[in-house]
Amino acid sequence: MGDYVLRCIAGGETLPEQYTLSCSEHAGLIRTEYAARQLTVRPELPGIFRYSDWLPVHGTLPTRSRPVTFQSRELCRELGLPNLWVTFTGYYPERECFVPTGSFKELEALPTTVRLAENGGGTLVVASAGNTGRAFAQMAAEFGTPVIIVVPESSANSLWTVTDPKVPEAVKLITVRGDYADAIAVANRITERPGYVPEGGAKNVARRDGMGTVMLDAAVTIGRMPDHYFQAVGSGTGGIAAWEAAMRLSADGRFGCDVPRLHLAQNLPFVPMVNAWKERRALLLERDMPDAAGAISQVSAPVLTNRAPPYSMPGGVFDAMMYCGGDMYAVSNADAAEAGRIFSDAENGIDLDPAAAVATAALISAVASGAVDSQDTITLNITGGGYARVREDLGIFPVPVTMTVDADEVPEI
Ligand SMILES: *Cc1c(COP(=O)(O)O)cnc(C)c1O
């Protein structure tokens, strides 16, 4: 289970197994290659770990969190798409979705936590716009795994857990006077010290393969890979993960050969990857994200505001788009809100993460423009939702702020 090697995509060589985040010789991502060419789903294992064959872990953690794929009759009818499937990662008990922190960042946090423990451990340092930090705070609360979470001050109230922490000192929350880019800079300075391990973002293979379980769950449930995959992206790591999972499914042989087209959406006015995709591999600061701070302050989905996404690097978003085909979408706050309402009306009033509403709006516009055919098989990745129900059903424990620092400070922890 989970037997694998790490391979450098640019150089092609295998790398020694450790909590390696990059190749010392080449730029670009490293990737897992699993011994199991065919996927055996293991429903006897908890939550996401049913896909352990293609996760870089040997053990598991007790959890119910996993993506769940279903057809919404109402939504299919409303959008005129009979072969639309939703893959939902969030809290929606009527649909057997029990991800307590409400977003697909928990798909990343679970295998990352196991893999780090299996590779020497350490204190994980996570920079987050909110959802990633909350997922790792939940790991710390449930399992006592130490983590330092660095977020912009404005995200502090999205940091909570559903578990009263057993070891309250396991989680330290540092808020930064600045935006997500400043939080990343502060986190980087902390990881320069021994004993602190950077979570790694897109470079973290456990993150990518954890997010890739969305594609696995869709293909296993539908019985084949979909023709189209829709997701809202900030870093685009989920898009890369979908591509990598699709290549594994293609090699498996039982789910079709053709990988799905990727339809990746960003939130106006901050749409750097959409701008770059129309023209080139390079992501250009001035051209693709003019007045980044101003644009970021206006989006409804702050988790989509990464200023340094893994777009150009070998194995990154550009390569994923070139391989799979598809398109990128710029979605307004108003269109996202309307799409979120349509979803909510179709599905028991469940509230979507604003990012998931952006993905739904992209799907609606792709149907309108004819980019997808109404008979095509489509997976809509609902990356987060059900927060209102979490508060009602489970109750939440806010994560206390350990300290607040300026963007150029090195926190003394
Ligand atoms: C992080 C996040 C995204 C974007 O994911 P990436 O693939 O890393 O760009 C989308 N939706 C939600 C709810 C998220 O938390």
Side-chain angles (χ1 to χ4, degrees):
M1 203 177 72
D3 284 329
Y4 64 99
V5 295
L6 297 174
R7 191 175 298 281
C8 167
I9 298 177
E13 75 277 24
T14 58
L15 302 171
E17 167 63 340
Q18 47 185 332
Y19 193 80
T20 315
L21 293 173
S22 51
C23 171
S24 52
E25 301 290 315
H26 304 98
L29 298 178
I30 62 173
R31 193 180 282 158
T32 44
E33 246 173 52
Y34 292 99
R37 187 187 165 103
Q38 289 203 316
L39 174 69
T40 304
V41 183
R42 302 176 191 279
E44 70 279 12
L45 294 181
I48 184 179
F49 295 103
R50 64 173 46 210
Y51 297 119
S52 281
D53 275 17
W54 290 355
L55 289 172
V57 297
H58 301 286
T60 66
L61 285 167
T63 181
R64 287 200 288 175
S65 294
R66 52 165 287 219
V68 174
T69 303
F70 59 85
Q71 270 204 302
S72 166
R73 286 224 332 258
E74 270 289 308
L75 195 63
C76 288
R77 202 175 47 81
E78 184 67 34
L79 303 183
L81 299 169
N83 300 310
L84 170 65
W85 297 75
V86 169
T87 303
F88 191 100
T89 310
Y91 190 79
Y92 186 4
E94 293 92 326
R95 294 281 194 184
E96 302 282 307
C97 306
F98 298 107
V99 177
T101 63
S103 92
F104 86 147
K105 295 305 191 307
E106 220 175 292
L107 304 180
E108 158 198 3
L110 286 157
T112 296
T113 300
V114 175
R115 182 155 187 269
L116 181 62
E118 290 175 350
N119 284 277
T123 298
L124 210 56
V125 181
V126 179
S128 169
N131 288 355
T132 308
R134 191 169 62 252
F136 279 100
Q138 179 64 27
M139 299 299 111
E142 262 182 90
F143 310 120
T145 46
V147 64
I148 295 176
I149 299 164
V150 190
V151 299
E153 230 180 352
S154 57
S155 299
N157 59 1
S158 60
L159 270 288
W160 42 261
T161 62
V162 299
T163 309
D164 195 5
K166 291 194 196 81
V167 192
E169 56 281 10
V171 52
K172 294 196 169 63
L173 173 59
I174 298 175
T175 58
V176 180
R177 296 181 194 97
D179 67 13
Y180 180 38
D182 299 310
I184 292 172
V186 170
N188 286 345
R189 269 178 256 126
I190 297 172
T191 56
E192 284 163 13
R193 298 182 206 158
Y196 294 101
V197 183
E199 176 273 327
K203 293 181 188 157
N204 174 357
V205 293
R207 175 183 197 144
R208 301 211 307 278
D209 293 354
M211 289 179 165
T213 62
V214 170
M215 181 65 79
L216 304 185
D217 197 75
V220 164
T221 308
I222 301 169
R224 55 165 282 212
M225 279 189 275
D227 302 312
H228 306 278
Y229 170 89
F230 282 80
Q231 192 205 308
V233 291
S235 72
T237 308
I240 301 168
W243 166 43
E244 292 174 327
M247 286 193 291
R248 290 184 186 120
L249 288 165
S250 174
D252 178 303
R254 294 170 296 169
F255 302 96
C257 308
D258 294 338
V259 300
R261 288 171 173 266
L262 300 182
H263 301 266
L264 307 181
Q266 299 208 278
N267 192 183
L268 284 165
F270 187 74
V271 293
M273 288 192 278
V274 185
N275 292 336
W277 169 244
K278 283 188 233 141
E279 297 179 3
R280 59 196 127 71
R281 173 184 285 269
L283 194 68
L284 305 175
L285 277 178
E286 317 76 52
R287 298 255 313 251
D288 299 329
M289 43 189 123
D291 182 25
I296 285 172
S297 69
Q298 293 170 55
V299 302
S300 61
V303 296
L304 305 181
T305 59
N306 192 312
R307 292 189 205 203
Y311 175 79
S312 317
M313 62 168 67
V317 176
F318 183 83
D319 283 345
M321 292 294 299
M322 289 302 283
Y323 189 99
C324 299
D327 208 353
M328 298 197 81
Y329 300 77
V331 172
S332 71
N333 289 346
D335 286 352
E338 173 60 18
R341 262 193 302 276
I342 292 172
F343 188 97
S344 182
D345 288 347
E347 285 295 312
N348 295 305
I350 208 79
D351 57 314
L352 290 191
D353 189 293
V358 166
T360 308
L363 170 62
I364 293 170
S365 87
V367 174
S369 74
V372 304
D373 188 88
S374 64
Q375 299 303 309
D376 288 349
T377 299
I378 299 166
T379 293
L380 172 60
N381 183 351
I382 293 295
T383 45
Y387 303 114
R389 289 290 304 278
V390 171
R391 283 169 196 267
E392 271 170 41
D393 289 10
L394 307 177
I396 62 168
F397 300 84
V399 178
V401 177
T402 308
M403 67 177 79
T404 301
V405 301
D406 287 322
D408 55 3
E409 252 180 88
V410 186
E412 281 308 322
I413 24 143

